[in-house]
Amino acid sequence: MAAGSELLQLWRDTPTHKRVWAIALPMILSNISVPLVGLVDTAVIGHLDGAHFLGGVAVGSTLFTFILWAAGFLRMGTTGFAAQACGADDGTALRRVLLQPLWLALLISVLVWSLQTPLLNLGLHLLDSSQALLDQARLYVGIRLYSLPAALANFVLIGWFIGAQNSRAPFILLLAVNLCNVALDLLLVVGLEWGVAGAAWATVISDYLGLLLGLALLRPILRRYPGRTDWLRAFLLRGAAPLIRVNRDILIRTLALESVFYLLVVQGARLGDEVVAANAVLLNFLLLTSHGLDGLAHALEALGGHALGRQDKQALRKVLVVSTLWSLLLSCGFVLVFLLGGNAIIALLTDLPEVRQQAGTYLPWMAVMPLAAVWSYLLDGLFIGASRARAMRNAMLAALLLYLPLAWSLQSFGNHGVWLGFLCFMLLRSLLLGGWFVHLWRADRWMAPR
């Protein structure tokens, strides 16, 4: 009873609601624009004459996303350190936290470019799909790789903006990139009939325009936190050991997560082109959920990291309670939308009857997914803000090790088994990471230096 009264008191803290939504609302609106681009990509490609076009974009996009998400530490690692630098009012550290990951983004891009042929061959080797589908996937990835430096730099900028508690800048950046992407999709794919290549070039152009805009948005924030910019120290990565350690652990964690998504695509591909195309349609539902709920997770990252920088435990309790309850309400909203309008969304995305039928069959899995996934998004935000990447890594690896035998045992259930296994994986992530947080909190070690 006392615990419930305390939660209610924390929930009633109006200033915390305002701070959470000042960050979350612009991020939700801008984040949802990301999967909306995927919806447009799926819609324009899904109306071409053949499932192999849609399947090729799905596979190619997954392979490229594997590279992007593998480098997702550039955003997540930057957010935590930027939030803590702001909490400590350290403008010099804030500048270093920006420059070092931008330099890492460029180095990673050069490395991937130099290894693109073997990486692409490896990614396509395990797919037992038609040659037509694989050719379209290869075409898509080959073009998208041109945008890698800009896409990774945008990751850094967005993470830094969130850490600085400026949600307006990433809102403007993401919205501009994605609206540009939609417009170019319609022009290049529908208007000029460039097909899969048009969808890829639309993203390349949009990413570079977004980078230019993001750099222009830095100045007001840097003026608010005066400090010294040590270019040489940043590019020689001096003092970057904590950032590199966090990024290393987030990289391992992300590779484990991406391997699950890749396995999902592989399992679908082996069930036929129509199944992999249907799963591509359904993944847009998952993207809508994750990008919407990530807005509140971003607020928890920024405000939680800021509270940690100030060593303010009560502020962290308030933002944790407010973010969690709003996330639960939002996830229930997604469930209702998918139950009531899921088939209509599928119909908008493709006019291929066999793909519509397959997607409708497995739609119930997407309807329950938000309630299973919401916990992992929130906990990721909490741990990112605290720069506790090692715990995230260990929880993800443990969930993967438990998931693999489960996925193997569910093969006889076909695509239902694929989605059941994925649902269990999301729950495993949440249980493992949530258990570790509870342990640290009860031991009064969450606010302690690491």
Side-chain angles (χ1 to χ4, degrees):
M1 188 71 175
S5 176
E6 184 181 4
L7 286 176
L8 185 60
Q9 184 178 0
L10 293 171
W11 170 254
R12 287 175 173 173
D13 188 75
T14 303
T16 301
H17 282 273
K18 291 180 178 179
R19 285 193 292 271
V20 166
W21 281 107
I23 297 173
L25 184 57
M27 291 309 305
I28 289 173
L29 295 176
S30 55
N31 281 348
I32 286 180
S33 71
V34 175
L36 287 179
V37 172
L39 291 174
V40 173
D41 278 346
T42 303
V44 295
I45 300 299
H47 287 82
L48 297 178
D49 187 18
H52 64 280
F53 290 111
L54 181 56
V57 169
V59 171
S61 180
T62 299
L63 292 176
F64 187 78
T65 301
F66 190 95
I67 297 172
L68 283 182
W69 282 13
F73 59 81
L74 292 171
R75 187 204 71 76
M76 290 183 278
T78 302
T79 296
F81 285 109
Q84 292 165 45
C86 288
D89 201 23
D90 189 342
T92 299
L94 190 61
R95 284 160 173 77
R96 185 175 66 252
V97 168
L98 172 65
L99 291 176
Q100 287 177 339
L102 282 175
W103 178 234
L104 286 174
L106 181 58
L107 295 177
I108 291 168
S109 299
V110 172
L111 177 63
V112 172
W113 281 343
S114 65
L115 298 174
Q116 63 178 285
T117 299
L119 287 175
L120 185 54
N121 289 338
L122 177 64
L124 295 176
H125 175 70
L126 297 176
L127 294 176
D128 187 17
S129 293
S130 68
Q131 188 59 45
L133 186 151
L134 296 178
D135 288 342
Q136 294 300 319
R138 189 179 295 275
L139 171 65
Y140 184 86
V141 176
I143 296 171
R144 281 289 303 273
L145 282 173
Y146 289 116
S147 72
L148 190 59
L152 296 184
N154 287 337
F155 270 10
V156 174
L157 291 173
I158 291 169
W160 189 86
F161 286 136
I162 294 170
Q165 296 187 43
N166 186 315
S167 57
R168 180 174 174 269
F171 171 71
I172 294 171
L173 192 158
L174 285 170
L175 196 62
V177 167
N178 294 317
L179 289 177
C180 179
N181 201 338
V182 169
L184 289 173
D185 259 341
L186 296 174
L187 172 64
L188 300 180
V189 180
V190 179
L192 299 181
E193 298 182 352
W194 285 11
V196 170
W201 278 116
T203 306
V204 171
I205 296 169
S206 301
D207 281 341
Y208 278 102
L209 290 175
L211 174 58
L212 294 175
L213 177 60
L215 293 174
L217 293 170
L218 288 173
R219 189 174 178 182
I221 303 173
L222 292 174
R223 277 194 304 219
R224 192 186 319 148
Y225 293 94
R228 184 169 55 90
T229 304
D230 191 338
W231 296 91
L232 182 61
R233 180 183 176 87
F235 290 121
L236 291 178
L237 297 178
R238 291 175 181 167
L243 177 68
I244 291 173
R245 281 197 299 269
V246 166
N247 287 346
R248 175 202 64 199
D249 292 333
I250 294 177
L251 170 62
I252 296 171
R253 169 256 182 203
T254 306
L255 289 174
L257 176 60
E258 274 296 282
S259 66
V260 174
F261 278 94
Y262 182 70
L263 181 59
L264 189 150
V265 173
V266 170
Q267 290 174 305
R270 291 178 175 177
L271 294 172
D273 284 4
E274 286 74 22
V275 172
V276 74
N279 284 352
V281 170
L282 293 175
L283 279 172
N284 286 288
F285 288 77
L286 183 62
L287 287 173
L288 280 170
T289 301
S290 64
H291 285 88
L293 294 174
D294 266 349
L296 287 157
H298 291 329
L300 186 53
E301 289 175 27
L303 296 173
H306 192 268
L308 187 62
R310 295 173 55 194
Q311 290 293 294
D312 189 342
K313 189 173 183 179
Q314 184 65 9
L316 178 59
R317 290 163 63 89
K318 290 177 181 178
V319 71
L320 181 57
V321 169
V322 170
S323 299
T324 299
L325 293 179
W326 276 119
S327 293
L328 286 173
L329 291 172
L330 185 58
S331 64
C332 290
F334 278 116
V335 170
L336 289 176
V337 169
F338 295 163
L339 285 175
L340 299 177
N343 285 309
I345 296 173
I346 291 171
L348 288 174
L349 296 177
T350 180
D351 57 4
L352 298 171
E354 63 276 14
V355 176
R356 283 187 180 182
Q357 180 183 359
Q358 292 280 355
T361 299
Y362 305 110
L363 177 62
W365 292 109
M366 292 300 99
V368 300
M369 196 67 71
L371 293 176
V374 58
W375 306 104
S376 60
Y377 302 141
L378 270 173
L379 288 163
D380 278 351
L382 182 65
F383 278 77
I384 289 167
S387 297
R388 289 186 175 273
R390 181 179 298 178
M392 295 173 65
R393 177 201 67 189
N394 293 342
M396 186 65 73
L397 289 174
L400 175 62
L401 290 176
L402 293 171
Y403 164 73
L404 290 175
L406 177 63
W408 178 266
S409 67
L410 292 173
Q411 288 185 97
S412 60
F413 294 94
N415 206 39
H416 283 295
V418 171
W419 286 113
L420 174 59
F422 184 79
L423 182 72
C424 292
F425 169 76
M426 299 298 284
L427 291 173
L428 285 170
R429 285 177 59 193
S430 303
L431 289 171
L432 291 166
L433 203 55
W436 184 242
F437 167 71
V438 170
H439 167 71
L440 291 175
W441 187 267
R442 287 180 174 174
D444 201 24
R445 292 167 51 196
W446 184 259
M447 308 295 288
R450 292 167 305 288

